[in-house]
Amino acid sequence: MLERFYPDIYVSSAYHIDFQKFFASGYRGIIFDIDNTLVPHGAPASPQSIAFIRQLKEMGFGVLFLSNNKEPRVKMFADAVSAGYIFKGGKPGRKGYLKGMALLGTKKENTLFVGDQLFTDVWGARNTGIFSILVQPIDKKEEIQIVLKRYPEKIVLAAYKRKCIRENRAYLADGEAFPQ
């Protein structure tokens, strides 16, 4: 039952993912969440995030941001890194993910999703058939509705960790392109 919330992989940071391995495996589009995935909640694009997105685009990836936030917040970030975006994305609903793939010109088989929340980001990506990568939140300071979701997330992550141990694969898979 909880498996529908499990990410395909779990890493400490979006900045630690080996995207070259994903590109070599045929992935061509990346849909990102913004807040607490690439920068702290509400923060502007950082020099690190700007350089990171530029490197991904130079590698050949299409990049798009899918956020449940309002347009001014999402547009500010997306404009700073020169990428497309969808605001009020309705995650975990499939519509935003499908629209994102249409904008990127990708399919579920060659699109990645990277986000920090199980019940919106990962669940929505899994429901859409997209490879999901969960990252640890950048900052512990979050809005109350997100803080409240973190408690049941801990239960799901504990079950996910037990599954990883049973399967003899990394729970926190930094640097790995795919589970072992």
Side-chain angles (χ1 to χ4, degrees):
M1 179 179 134
L2 294 178
E3 289 189 357
R4 69 178 151 205
F5 302 113
Y6 292 176
D8 289 298
I9 61 171
Y10 180 33
V11 298
S12 64
S13 169
Y15 300 104
H16 295 166
I17 299 166
D18 187 346
F19 285 103
Q20 289 180 329
K21 286 184 181 177
F22 281 105
F23 193 83
S25 296
Y27 287 91
R28 295 298 180 262
I30 308 169
I31 302 173
F32 282 100
D33 177 53
I34 299 170
D35 289 324
N36 254 352
T37 297
L38 295 171
V39 293
H41 186 80
S46 64
Q48 180 186 25
S49 63
I50 293 168
F52 177 63
I53 299 302
R54 183 177 55 246
Q55 288 172 344
L56 292 173
K57 290 177 2 184
E58 287 171 357
M59 201 180 297
F61 280 108
V63 175
L64 182 122
F65 300 101
L66 174 61
S67 175
N68 285 346
N69 222 321
K70 296 177 183 171
E71 186 173 23
R73 183 335 179 221
V74 182
K75 181 177 179 9
M76 172 186 68
F77 188 91
D79 285 353
V81 299
S82 301
Y85 66 92
I86 298 170
F87 66 98
K88 290 188 179 180
K91 294 182 292 183
R94 296 177 69 221
K95 187 177 179 180
Y97 296 86
L98 294 171
K99 182 178 178 183
M101 287 186 290
L103 291 170
L104 288 170
T106 59
K107 299 175 184 170
K108 63 184 178 181
E109 296 82 15
N110 66 351
T111 305
L112 303 167
F113 185 87
V114 182
D116 70 300
Q117 294 186 54
L118 286 176
F119 302 129
T120 52
D121 299 329
V122 170
W123 190 19
R126 286 186 56 91
N127 282 340
T128 309
I130 300 171
F131 192 93
S132 63
I133 303 173
L134 178 68
V135 299
Q136 292 180 329
I138 289 175
D139 191 1
K140 292 196 184 294
K141 184 180 176 187
E142 298 179 298
E143 294 175 337
I144 188 65
Q145 71 270 18
I146 296 171
V147 170
L148 294 174
K149 286 191 270 184
R150 295 294 185 197
Y151 293 104
E153 276 188 359
K154 288 179 183 179
I155 295 167
V156 174
L157 287 173
Y160 173 71
K161 183 175 184 176
R162 287 190 299 273
K163 180 181 187 255
C164 291
I165 291 168
R166 277 193 315 271
E167 294 175 356
N168 196 31
R169 66 180 176 102
Y171 165 64
L172 199 59
D174 279 20
E176 296 180 22
F178 299 99
Q180 295 176 338

